[in-house]
Amino acid sequence: MVIVDGETEEWYLKKMKDYERKLSIDIRPKLPRKLNLKGLFERVIAYAEVEDYNRIYWIIDFDTIWKETKETKPGLETPIQKLQKYLTKIEALNKRSKKGQEEDRIQVCINNPCLEQWVLCHLTRSGRYFPQCIEVEKEVRKRLPLYQKTEDFFTRKKPDIYTRLKPYQAEAIKHAKQLGSFHIEEPSQAKAEMYKLIEDLLKIKN
């Protein structure tokens, strides 16, 4: 089960599912749009309690969290503080539910600032941090001029986004690993944790 907070992740994963024929994943949103961070967290926990799912992946674009944090009025809990609280709860839940298993029940994958950082990993080895997603999109277009953050480009244009990037996937995973894991104490670093999901799904397929 994969829970995403944006349409681009949904489009990308649906095309992955089309390409990797033996892949069996359930992609959500089959849930209302406009869910806030708290709503998404509650869905993650709810699905984690369903035994039908071996593992839950929660894909998060950090740019919105960072933007809303900077806009939060003094004295109020920020989205970053909320995320920290949710990650701590997920870590505790994973420890309780392992029961001798090596893998965590819930895997959180944070792309900073957004999915385009993962796309960029296919095209170049760059650790440069971009505060806003639009800046990463511009960097992607330097190497993939036709790139558009639209459903038409991701799913209907030939080749689709997954097929177009597939030849560079092994290098993208290597580059993303070199960026390292996301640490909430260091939010101004480029991260593309999408690789964790992709790598796990390909292992399952094989």
Side-chain angles (χ1 to χ4, degrees):
M1 152 78 74
V2 182
I3 296 177
V4 299
D5 69 356
E7 291 179 325
T8 47
E9 289 86 358
E10 182 184 359
W11 300 331
Y12 176 86
L13 289 170
K14 283 183 175 179
K15 299 320 294 185
M16 179 182 186
K17 193 173 181 179
D18 289 345
Y19 186 99
E20 311 287 355
R21 296 292 183 179
K22 295 181 181 179
L23 196 61
S24 178
I25 55 172
D26 190 0
I27 305 168
R28 307 275 171 139
K30 288 172 187 171
L31 45 82
R33 297 290 180 189
K34 309 283 187 188
L35 274 184
N36 58 19
L37 190 64
K38 181 176 183 288
L40 286 167
F41 168 73
E42 289 173 347
R43 287 298 177 98
V44 168
I45 298 302
Y47 284 124
E49 293 172 351
V50 178
E51 293 300 324
D52 292 345
Y53 298 112
N54 294 326
R55 201 172 192 197
I56 310 296
Y57 295 87
W58 184 14
I59 310 301
I60 299 174
D61 282 351
F62 192 71
D63 60 334
T64 300
I65 294 173
W66 186 233
K67 177 179 179 293
E68 292 178 354
T69 291
K70 290 189 289 187
E71 295 171 351
T72 302
K73 294 180 180 179
L76 297 179
E77 186 179 35
T78 68
I80 285 183
Q81 290 171 332
K82 292 177 183 177
L83 179 60
Q84 176 68 80
K85 182 171 62 178
Y86 299 150
L87 293 178
T88 300
K89 289 182 178 180
I90 287 173
E91 184 179 359
L93 188 149
N94 281 335
K95 287 180 179 178
R96 291 197 304 270
S97 63
K98 271 195 173 180
K99 298 179 182 178
Q101 298 181 11
E102 292 184 7
E103 294 185 341
D104 291 332
R105 178 90 167 115
I106 302 173
Q107 173 72 65
V108 180
C109 302
I110 298 178
N111 298 311
N112 193 17
C114 56
L115 179 70
E116 274 73 17
Q117 190 66 47
W118 166 242
V119 174
L120 188 61
C121 283
H122 292 74
L123 308 172
T124 184
R125 181 182 300 173
S126 172
R128 181 182 172 189
Y129 168 66
F130 299 91
Q132 298 180 8
C133 191
I134 192 169
E135 297 173 38
V136 193
E137 291 176 44
K138 290 178 181 178
E139 199 68 19
V140 168
R141 286 194 193 96
K142 290 179 183 178
R143 298 159 177 83
L144 189 60
L146 298 178
Y147 182 82
Q148 296 178 28
K149 193 169 184 169
T150 64
E151 185 174 9
D152 185 60
F153 180 82
F154 268 63
T155 66
R156 301 189 188 102
K157 293 286 186 182
K158 301 297 182 183
D160 62 67
I161 188 66
Y162 188 81
T163 303
R164 191 186 298 268
L165 296 177
K166 178 66 178 180
Y168 316 104
Q169 191 175 71
E171 283 298 299
I173 291 173
K174 186 196 305 183
H175 295 164
K177 285 182 176 180
Q178 289 170 348
L179 294 177
S181 297
F182 178 83
H183 298 289
I184 204 160
E185 301 84 4
E186 300 174 333
S188 298
Q189 293 185 356
K191 302 295 174 185
E193 291 191 329
M194 192 78 176
Y195 83 85
K196 297 178 180 179
L197 168 63
I198 303 304
E199 199 170 45
D200 283 357
L201 291 179
L202 293 176
K203 285 177 183 175
I204 294 169
K205 171 179 175 283
N206 296 328

